[in-house]
Amino acid sequence: VSRLCVCDLLVAECDTNCCCDPDCTAEDFSLFTTCSVPVVTGEIRLCSQKAAVYSLDVDANPPERIFELIDQVNPSIFCIRSTNYKQALAFGSPEMPTSDNFDQLLKRFGSAAFSAEPDNWNTDTNPSDANETYRYEYGVPVQTADAFLRLPSPVVSSWCSDANPAGFLVNQATKCTRLVSMEKCGSDEAVSMLFYVNSSILAVNITIQSVVVQSQNGTRTLLNSSEVLRLPVIWDELCINIVLGVSYHITYTDAGEIIEAAASFVLGAINKEALAIQQTFEITFTQVDTQPVPLSGNPGYVVGLPVRAGFRPQGYPFPADILFAALNTNKYNQLTILQSTPSQDCLAAQVARTPVLFGYNMISGCTLRIPAAVQCQPLTQTLLDLLKGQNFPEYVASFGNSQAQDVLDWVPIIHLYTSEQSDSDRICNALQSSCQIPISLETEVKWTKYGSLVNPQARIVNVTATIATTALKQLPSGRERTVPVTSSVVFTDVSSPAEPGYKAWPTINAKLPFDFFFPFI
């Protein structure tokens, strides 16, 4: 408990009146008026435990902090004697049922009562041993051998500040401006690769994953050998190997342990006229043995982020690999539409797709020239592939953070077909058996505000894809027809308004995390 401090909010800075803050000095304590947290304990349900007691001696000159470590006894007859269940000290992802392990899980958990206790109990387990594995919680600064992993970012102005810590599981991307000069080419550590890989993340060293060199005209070249440090040096009136961008990639376990850290660099050059450069920094986190999937909100969708989509795999309801397979034109399992090209040629735009962004109504299109001798069936399939893409998804995630294994969080896409022709045209087409070709795809996404009225979350409740067809009439030989093809997406808010005369109280119909009650049922 002497290492615990709930009021220590600022990194590498002293928090006012926080008597347990290790960053505070004796001079800081002399200016305190009180201790905001006088007693720090661990698990309050333990029968007996150590307690850290903090107070101020105002009679001393100057005033000083007093620290005591005492034994505290729980007066309740219902208390925990020892924390000997190691699995409860860290959260582990629950095992998902598959076609291979279903019988085993049914035998273990299928009865009216079951035990999750380990086979061997060790009553002499010390709870503090769990701290030796350096397990992180969300948002906690990533510790290094000397301080914490820094991700430079702009603070007040656009100038870079190196005091921004990288939080665990917090994906960040920053951009800032750094002062440079030829005179400090080899001495300015902020533009050197060594500054960003010199420290280790506790027991894990930062390795160099890739190095890209950017020329003066902006072209980039990937170096074959990325393990060699390239330090800034002066060459031909240029300062080369200047760091323009750093991208960290952290791999962690489900228990919150960092097992691997890698950095990718973009290096450039400056001349004597350069006064400042723009640097970009990024950090991403990926759990080991999992495929990284970007989210679009937590839990509700965020306006401007892609709508997540995918497929139900073979073998449902045993979704062993329900993280829907990545597509050629849809890398991150997103709902996409046709992307317009400057030439407006449908054949050129066949592989160009753009993601559908939540809350943004979008429309795009192109033109297709159809010769008289074209066959109906291949033309129809070409237009469908053009409107839908190579693989049109079957489901859309109702929330921005819907997990693949939560099948009920995925909304099926409803397909409708309409024909743009009058009754007289239908009679003529029936007699002439003309060709019906798709010319437009309109996707309507219905969403609602979900959860508390204080902080409503955007939830998708229905998705309808409507394909409109038209009759392709026969043309004389040698002539061709130009057909406009359009694709659009419309977002409709279907939230129920508050009834008049009733006070709109916040509801408790909020979405809980899937592991909220773990390990209890």
Side-chain angles (χ1 to χ4, degrees), residues 338-341 344-346 349 363-367 485-487:
L338 174 68
Q339 180 178 347
S340 299
T341 59
Q344 294 296 308
D345 185 4
C346 286
I363 186 170
S364 63
C366 59
T367 56
V485 180
T486 60
S487 179

Side-chain angles (χ1 to χ4, degrees), residues 238-488:
L238 292 176
C239 180
I240 63 174
N241 299 332
I242 293 291
V243 174
L244 300 180
V246 183
S247 179
Y248 291 106
H249 185 75
I250 309 298
T251 305
Y252 66 96
T253 66
D254 56 357
E257 302 175 29
I258 294 178
I259 61 174
E260 186 178 347
S264 301
F265 290 89
V266 177
L267 304 181
I270 61 172
N271 52 29
K272 59 182 180 180
E273 286 81 14
L275 300 178
I277 59 173
Q278 188 176 68
Q279 292 180 310
T280 59
F281 301 92
E282 183 181 5
I283 184 170
T284 56
F285 294 84
T286 302
Q287 185 174 332
V288 64
D289 298 330
T290 61
Q291 178 183 3
V293 178
L295 303 181
S296 297
N298 188 26
Y301 275 97
V302 176
V303 175
L305 294 183
V307 175
R308 304 174 63 220
F311 300 87
R312 186 170 64 181
Q314 299 294 331
Y316 174 83
F318 304 105
D321 296 310
I322 200 172
L323 285 178
F324 316 119
L327 312 178
N328 294 333
T329 58
N330 187 3
K331 184 177 180 180
Y332 295 117
N333 305 316
Q334 300 164 351
L335 186 64
T336 62
I337 67 170
L338 174 68
Q339 180 178 347
S340 299
T341 59
S343 63
Q344 294 296 308
D345 185 4
C346 286
L347 297 180
Q350 193 167 2
V351 296
R353 310 287 297 180
T354 185
V356 174
L357 306 180
F358 182 82
Y360 286 9
N361 296 336
M362 309 171 69
I363 186 170
S364 63
C366 59
T367 56
L368 181 65
R369 294 183 178 181
I370 304 175
V374 69
Q375 296 183 359
C376 179
Q377 186 63 26
L379 176 61
T380 302
Q381 188 61 45
T382 300
L383 288 174
L384 283 177
D385 294 341
L386 177 67
L387 291 172
K388 289 186 171 184
Q390 291 185 356
N391 291 278
F392 194 75
E394 300 173 352
Y395 291 83
V396 167
S398 58
F399 291 97
N401 69 340
S402 295
Q403 299 294 320
Q405 61 268 19
D406 299 334
V407 182
L408 297 180
D409 268 2
W410 294 82
V411 179
I413 299 177
I414 302 173
H415 295 271
L416 299 177
Y417 294 88
T418 62
S419 179
E420 295 184 355
Q421 58 182 342
S422 61
D423 294 338
S424 59
D425 290 337
R426 288 193 182 94
I427 297 174
C428 295
N429 295 333
L431 296 176
Q432 301 175 4
S433 64
S434 64
C435 177
Q436 294 286 331
I437 60 172
I439 59 172
S440 69
L441 171 61
E442 179 181 344
T443 305
E444 183 182 16
V445 181
K446 296 181 180 180
W447 65 280
T448 182
K449 298 181 181 70
Y450 183 83
S452 170
L453 295 178
V454 179
N455 184 24
Q457 302 294 311
R459 175 189 183 184
I460 294 177
V461 295
N462 180 269
V463 179
T464 303
T466 304
I467 294 181
T469 62
T470 187
L472 181 63
K473 299 179 181 180
Q474 296 292 335
L475 296 176
S477 179
R479 298 184 59 183
E480 63 180 16
R481 179 181 179 183
T482 301
V483 177
V485 180
T486 60
S487 179
S488 62

Side-chain angles (χ1 to χ4, degrees), residues 18-228:
C18 183
C19 295
C20 56
D21 192 343
D23 299 320
C24 297
T25 62
E27 296 180 356
D28 297 325
F29 291 135
S30 65
L31 301 176
F32 286 5
T33 58
T34 183
C35 289
S36 59
V37 180
V39 180
V40 178
T41 59
E43 175 58 60
I44 60 175
R45 293 175 295 179
L46 291 174
C47 297
S48 62
Q49 62 176 317
K50 295 290 184 180
V53 180
Y54 299 91
S55 61
L56 292 176
D57 185 4
V58 295
D59 296 332
N61 189 17
E64 57 184 17
R65 183 199 68 169
I66 300 177
F67 166 73
E68 293 181 287
L69 195 62
I70 64 173
D71 293 321
Q72 192 175 61
V73 179
N74 190 348
S76 175
I77 60 173
F78 299 105
C79 58
I80 300 174
R81 181 177 179 181
S82 61
T83 55
N84 49 17
Y85 184 31
K86 289 185 177 181
Q87 297 181 13
L89 298 178
F91 170 73
S93 299
E95 187 176 3
M96 296 303 301
T98 66
S99 55
D100 298 328
N101 66 0
F102 182 79
D103 294 335
Q104 177 185 355
L105 296 178
L106 182 64
K107 181 179 179 181
R108 180 180 177 186
F109 300 106
S111 59
F114 59 86
S115 174
E117 298 176 358
D119 297 333
N120 298 321
W121 288 78
N122 182 10
T123 58
D124 298 330
T125 302
N126 188 356
S128 62
D129 292 343
N131 296 327
E132 297 179 0
T133 57
Y134 304 107
R135 293 170 178 170
Y136 286 92
E137 295 180 356
Y138 176 84
V140 174
V142 177
Q143 299 292 321
T144 60
D146 51 355
F148 52 84
L149 183 63
R150 295 174 173 87
L151 198 70
S153 64
V155 182
V156 179
S157 61
S158 61
W159 302 110
C160 293
S161 172
D162 297 326
N164 177 41
F168 183 64
L169 296 186
V170 181
N171 295 335
Q172 298 184 58
T174 62
K175 183 185 298 183
C176 56
T177 304
R178 180 88 64 178
L179 289 174
V180 293
S181 64
M182 288 286 292
E183 291 75 13
K184 298 181 179 180
C185 180
S187 61
D188 190 356
E189 61 178 10
V191 295
S192 173
M193 290 179 59
L194 188 62
F195 178 70
Y196 301 98
V197 298
N198 194 24
S199 59
S200 60
I201 301 178
L202 296 180
V204 179
N205 293 323
I206 302 177
T207 60
I208 301 176
Q209 191 173 39
S210 64
V211 177
V212 175
V213 177
Q214 178 175 304
S215 63
Q216 292 287 88
N217 58 6
T219 59
R220 294 188 174 186
T221 304
L222 177 63
L223 300 182
N224 295 327
S225 177
S226 60
E227 298 181 356
V228 180

